[in-house]
Amino acid sequence: MKNIVITIEREYGSGGKYIGEEVAKRLGYKFYDKELLNEIYEKNDCNYALLEEFDEKTKSSILKSLGLVSIENDSMFTEEKYHALVKATIKELASSSSCVFIGRDTNQILKNEKNAIHFFIYAKDEEFKIKRKMERENLTYEEAKEKMHEVDKSRKKFYESLNKGHTWGIKEDYDFCIDSSVLGIDKTIELILEIIQKFQNNEECKDER
């Protein structure tokens, strides 16, 4: 059986990261969010603290973080170099084992991979997202609401800066767009596991033909 690769893009507060972690745990898949940076760091000997400054940033934000330097050759680590390393690392990891990726344009990087399935997790119920972040991050209502808008704005700019003509969260870029506030987090996890099982069964049937 081929590796199954799951990519999850998500709105802040929708539970996308937690959902991805639980899906990976229950399936025994590897999970990559910030862990992806560890892989880039280990494979390319980059300055990790400064590498983080490039993570899911727009071009304008990246330019403010000039000074990211390669430990190996002391040369400027450019935006292009960062994205090239991210893309190469994601493709290498996806080819080596079944895994779940969170964000970082992975649905576009792996869009031509037949063994990849792409999700966008959102929540139309804004109160659902705010309440989750208040509880999980110990934020006030206003803090959670403000952070929600700031983070989603940043993610939108990051995604659209890499994919000209595409809108963050548009259904055409994903296989499934799921509102986690409809079923709740636990039921959304169960739904995704069911989808993946059907996807896996379908791929196995194709292999047998």
Side-chain angles (χ1 to χ4, degrees):
M1 178 61 195
K2 298 177 181 177
N3 299 332
I4 299 295
V5 180
I6 302 160
T7 74
I8 297 178
E9 190 70 49
R10 74 288 185 214
E11 287 184 346
Y12 179 82
S14 66
K17 178 181 177 180
Y18 176 77
I19 289 168
E21 287 177 316
E22 285 298 307
V23 166
K25 185 187 301 182
R26 296 187 195 186
L27 292 174
Y29 289 5
K30 293 185 177 180
F31 176 81
Y32 296 104
D33 182 20
K34 288 292 185 182
E35 295 81 358
L36 180 63
L37 299 187
N38 295 334
E39 294 288 336
I40 296 172
Y41 168 74
E42 292 174 3
K43 295 175 186 299
N44 301 280
D45 197 24
C46 297
N47 183 320
Y48 186 86
L50 294 175
L51 178 62
E52 284 187 302
E53 294 297 320
F54 280 72
D55 192 38
E56 288 200 294
K57 303 278 188 177
T58 61
K59 183 175 182 179
S60 60
S61 297
I62 290 173
L63 292 175
K64 294 177 183 178
S65 64
L66 291 177
L68 182 57
V69 175
S70 168
I71 293 174
E72 182 179 2
N73 57 24
D74 200 43
S75 62
M76 185 62 68
F77 195 100
T78 65
E79 177 186 358
E80 290 75 17
K81 179 66 173 177
Y82 164 75
H83 289 303
L85 287 175
V86 168
K87 185 174 182 179
T89 303
I90 286 171
K91 287 195 169 186
E92 181 180 347
L93 294 171
S95 67
S96 63
S97 64
S98 294
C99 50
V100 177
F101 290 103
I102 301 294
R104 295 170 185 83
D105 201 40
T106 46
N107 66 303
Q108 288 295 325
I109 292 171
L110 300 174
K111 66 180 179 180
N112 295 320
E113 300 296 327
K114 294 182 179 180
N115 62 324
I117 185 165
H118 310 292
F119 293 90
F120 185 83
I121 308 298
Y122 68 103
K124 287 185 293 185
D125 185 349
E126 189 172 277
E127 296 298 310
F128 172 84
K129 295 185 285 186
I130 293 173
K131 183 178 179 181
R132 284 196 76 254
K133 286 305 178 180
M134 287 175 65
E135 294 174 349
R136 296 178 70 86
E137 298 185 19
N138 195 28
L139 300 174
T140 66
Y141 182 92
E142 290 303 324
E143 287 172 339
K145 185 175 182 178
E146 181 179 1
K147 188 173 181 180
M148 178 182 70
H149 291 304
E150 288 178 353
V151 172
D152 281 349
K153 183 179 180 180
S154 177
R155 288 175 180 170
K156 177 179 172 68
K157 285 184 177 179
F158 174 82
Y159 186 84
E160 293 176 6
S161 70
L162 293 177
N163 304 287
K164 303 300 182 182
H166 290 250
T167 301
W168 183 65
I170 193 169
K171 65 182 184 299
E172 285 80 7
D173 284 348
Y174 307 92
D175 297 309
F176 296 93
C177 295
I178 302 175
D179 185 342
S180 59
S181 66
V182 173
L183 296 177
I185 300 299
D186 291 339
K187 293 296 184 181
T188 298
I189 292 169
E190 292 178 14
L191 174 61
I192 290 175
L193 289 171
E194 184 177 340
I195 290 171
I196 295 167
Q197 182 62 60
K198 291 182 182 297
F199 177 75
Q200 187 173 22
N201 291 344
N202 189 54
E203 291 301 298
E204 288 175 348
C205 287
K206 290 180 181 177
D207 291 341
E208 292 173 359
R209 291 174 186 171

